[in-house]
Amino acid sequence: IVTEYESKSKTLTSTGVFSVDASLNYLLAKAKEKEVLFDLSVTDGIKGCLDKCISENDLNTLILDLGENAIIAASFSEKKNVFVMIGSDNNNRCLFVYDSGNYFDADVIANLGKKRITTHKESGGSGIGMMTTVSLLQKYSASLKIDETVPNNSYTKCVSVIFDNEGKIIIK
């Protein structure tokens, strides 16, 4: 009962940027539709990231693409959790998107940034989100890290965007 009440009445912390708040609230609504618990943590101000790392429109695109992918993945799991964190790691601005869905399919990893591929076509997946993500990361020389060794029982993986000017793709 408490979890259901919390889910229905949840409001997210404001990031201080209207369009980013709107994107995150859209994801919260999508998560509620699919009975996925959606949470957010903002440990560093977004405005500094927008000044130095990425345009507001492109940040929203990343948040929405990675967030929707996470919600779709989590909706097929017994545990239905998505957690978005905007912060820093090793002095680099980062976007972390955790979910409790299945691990990435080998074909998705093999074709990352090369062609659109999805394992969730029946639930609205098109593969365009990861293509767009890789394209935006190249534009900003940001790195993508997919970590399937998350030491937390609530999540199975984390997809991170790291604004480090290195443009790497790291699979763990």
Side-chain angles (χ1 to χ4, degrees):
I1 293 171
V2 171
T3 302
E4 185 177 327
Y5 173 78
E6 183 181 74
S7 174
K8 287 182 180 177
S9 63
K10 183 173 205 124
T11 57
L12 298 174
T13 304
S14 175
T15 65
V17 178
F18 179 78
S19 67
V20 174
D21 289 344
S23 294
L24 291 164
N25 280 301
Y26 170 81
L27 291 174
L28 175 63
K30 290 289 269 190
K32 284 179 183 178
E33 283 176 20
K34 297 191 179 280
E35 298 179 352
V36 172
L37 181 62
F38 184 88
D39 214 347
L40 169 69
S41 174
V42 180
T43 60
D44 269 349
I46 300 255
K47 291 184 183 191
C49 185
L50 291 175
D51 291 341
K52 298 176 184 175
C53 304
I54 189 169
S55 75
E56 188 172 331
N57 187 51
D58 288 345
L59 178 61
N60 283 316
T61 299
L62 287 174
I63 289 170
L64 289 167
D65 284 345
L66 295 176
E68 283 191 286
N69 285 351
I71 291 166
I72 290 169
S75 70
F76 288 97
S77 297
E78 189 175 319
K79 290 181 183 179
K80 299 178 185 316
N81 300 314
V82 171
F83 175 59
V84 173
M85 188 170 91
I86 300 168
S88 295
D89 187 29
N90 294 329
N91 295 322
N92 295 310
R93 302 289 178 143
C94 301
L95 168 66
F96 304 94
V97 181
Y98 293 83
D99 74 66
S100 60
N102 289 335
Y103 297 124
F104 278 91
D105 185 271
D107 284 342
V108 173
I109 296 292
N111 290 292
L112 201 59
K114 297 175 189 165
K115 71 176 189 176
R116 292 178 9 176
I117 188 166
T118 183
T119 54
H120 296 290
K121 195 170 203 143
E122 72 287 343
S123 58
S126 67
I128 193 70
M130 287 307 286
M131 285 293 295
T132 303
T133 295
V134 171
S135 174
L136 285 173
L137 297 181
Q138 290 169 345
K139 177 179 177 180
Y140 293 101
S141 297
S143 294
L144 176 71
K145 180 178 179 183
I146 297 174
D147 186 353
E148 295 181 333
T149 63
V150 177
N152 183 315
N153 291 338
S154 297
Y155 308 101
T156 53
K157 63 186 177 291
C158 178
V159 177
S160 307
V161 173
I162 307 158
F163 295 97
D164 58 4
N165 291 313
E166 294 184 16
K168 297 182 197 172
I169 294 181
I170 303 158
I171 312 292
K172 187 173 173 186

